[in-house]
Amino acid sequence: MLFRSNIQGKSFTSTSDYRLKDNITSLNLTNYSIDGLKPVHYQLKETGKEQIGLIAHELQEEYPFLVEGEKDSEKFQSVNYIGLIGVLIKEIQLLKKQTTNLQMELQEIKNEQKKLK
């Protein structure tokens, strides 16, 4: 039995008010990273529609709190993709910082080369 439900709208918001949250800490990429995730391209069996995403039980190995249900149980598993956004943002921030540092180092090397000429 597949679930056939699409939600469409001009926008979607998820409640994220600080007053609803406890134990707030900065995300540590030592504990949370996208490195172990295995994105896949697939077609839905029921519709044949192409999708890109993750396999729930594989994500559950890395982020059990972002997956509802258990592998091979009667009910299908579901993924909280919105929960991955924080990890993706943190990874992008790290990459931007590394890129900026590398650009600065490269500029220093170029400046040193000019001085040597």
Side-chain angles (χ1 to χ4, degrees), residues 50-113:
E50 289 183 80
Q51 299 283 329
I52 294 175
L54 301 166
I55 304 299
H57 74 269
E58 291 177 357
L59 178 64
Q60 196 169 37
E61 293 172 10
E62 300 285 325
Y63 296 98
F65 51 90
L66 293 180
V67 177
E68 294 292 325
E70 295 300 322
K71 182 181 178 191
D72 299 325
S73 71
E74 189 175 313
K75 291 184 179 181
F76 293 114
Q77 289 183 290
S78 60
V79 170
N80 173 4
Y81 281 101
I82 292 173
L84 289 170
I85 292 172
V87 178
L88 297 175
I89 290 170
K90 191 70 172 183
E91 293 268 9
I92 291 168
Q93 289 173 335
L94 178 62
L95 289 171
K96 285 179 71 175
K97 185 176 182 179
Q98 290 172 340
T99 300
T100 299
N101 290 340
L102 289 171
Q103 287 172 335
M104 289 171 40
E105 287 178 32
L106 179 60
Q107 189 58 50
E108 288 175 15
I109 291 169
K110 286 180 177 180
N111 291 343
E112 287 297 318
Q113 284 179 340

Side-chain angles (χ1 to χ4, degrees), residues 12-30:
F12 174 81
T13 61
S14 180
T15 304
S16 188
D17 194 288
Y18 74 96
R19 294 171 292 178
L20 300 171
K21 301 172 182 183
D22 282 328
N23 304 317
I24 300 169
T25 59
S26 290
L27 189 61
N28 182 341
L29 290 181
T30 304

